[in-house]
Amino acid sequence: MMRSVFLALIVLPSLALAVQAQDGPVDDVTYDDALLMSCLTSNQGSDLSVCIGAASGACMEASEVGGTTMGMSLCLANEVDQWDGLLNAVYQKLMATEQAADAEMAEIGVDGPKMAEALKAMQRAWIAYRDASCDYEVSQWGNGTGAGPAYQSCMMDMTARQALDLISRLESKDI
């Protein structure tokens, strides 16, 4: 129940605004941001990770250039942007929740570690980890043409998984 309310009221409208400019042809590929949103909505209450790659995969299949390395990179980059919009929307909501909880704890005199500060530190460390992981992935390709799609695929997967982790953390707050 919480997940469906959360996705419907908080995440999906924020995601729709974040990716509104992404819909349609972008540099010779056709990316449909509604596919990811539809997948997230239809998989509420189950494993949302099945949605990772759904929209970029459809883009690659639907576009004439989707099978080229440039086309694959563009399709994947569009989904990276979409997951990044979701990640940022969820992060902001979780940060507001943690700041409110920190304020409540301070009000009753509890002087422990601040959840908002810990969230910020965790997210910054995750960004560094994601970037280093995807740089390592690219290194596996040397100077090969597959490096671009490999990088975008890594960014998509890691960003999506972080967004889903933050959704889970927010849901556990029972807001």
Side-chain angles (χ1 to χ4, degrees), residues 47-172:
D47 181 12
L48 294 177
S49 69
V50 301
C51 297
I52 301 171
S56 58
C59 174
M60 286 183 258
E61 290 176 16
S63 301
E64 279 185 34
V65 297
T68 67
T69 53
M70 179 59 101
M72 288 187 285
S73 291
L74 291 170
C75 289
L76 290 162
N78 277 289
E79 189 165 337
V80 171
D81 289 346
Q82 198 169 9
W83 280 109
D84 191 54
L86 173 60
L87 174 66
N88 289 325
V90 175
Y91 175 82
Q92 292 301 320
K93 181 67 176 164
L94 184 56
M95 179 59 77
T97 300
E98 300 298 30
Q99 288 170 335
D102 286 341
E104 285 179 24
M105 297 301 278
E107 196 173 288
I108 61 172
V110 175
D111 188 28
K114 304 294 184 229
M115 290 181 281
E117 290 172 16
L119 173 61
K120 185 177 185 178
M122 181 271 303
Q123 189 66 7
R124 285 183 174 172
W126 171 80
I127 291 168
Y129 173 73
R130 177 206 59 197
D131 292 349
S133 293
C134 293
D135 287 345
Y136 176 68
E137 181 65 29
V138 167
S139 77
Q140 305 302 300
W141 290 85
N143 289 328
T145 58
Y151 176 77
Q152 293 298 339
S153 181
C154 178
M155 291 291 286
M156 177 189 62
D157 186 67
M158 294 191 77
T159 303
R161 291 186 190 286
Q162 183 69 358
L164 296 176
D165 180 57
L166 294 184
I167 288 171
S168 176
R169 290 173 184 269
L170 186 58
E171 288 174 350
S172 74

Side-chain angles (χ1 to χ4, degrees), residues 1-65:
M1 174 71 170
M2 179 61 205
R3 173 170 277 174
S4 61
V5 171
F6 175 73
L7 282 172
L9 298 178
I10 305 296
V11 175
L12 292 178
S14 300
L15 178 58
L17 290 174
V19 298
Q20 191 171 27
Q22 298 296 321
D23 194 21
V26 178
D27 297 326
D28 296 327
V29 297
T30 301
Y31 182 84
D32 184 0
D33 61 273
L35 292 175
L36 177 57
M37 294 172 60
S38 175
C39 184
L40 291 171
T41 302
S42 65
N43 285 288
Q44 290 178 29
S46 62
D47 181 12
L48 294 177
S49 69
V50 301
C51 297
I52 301 171
S56 58
C59 174
M60 286 183 258
E61 290 176 16
S63 301
E64 279 185 34
V65 297

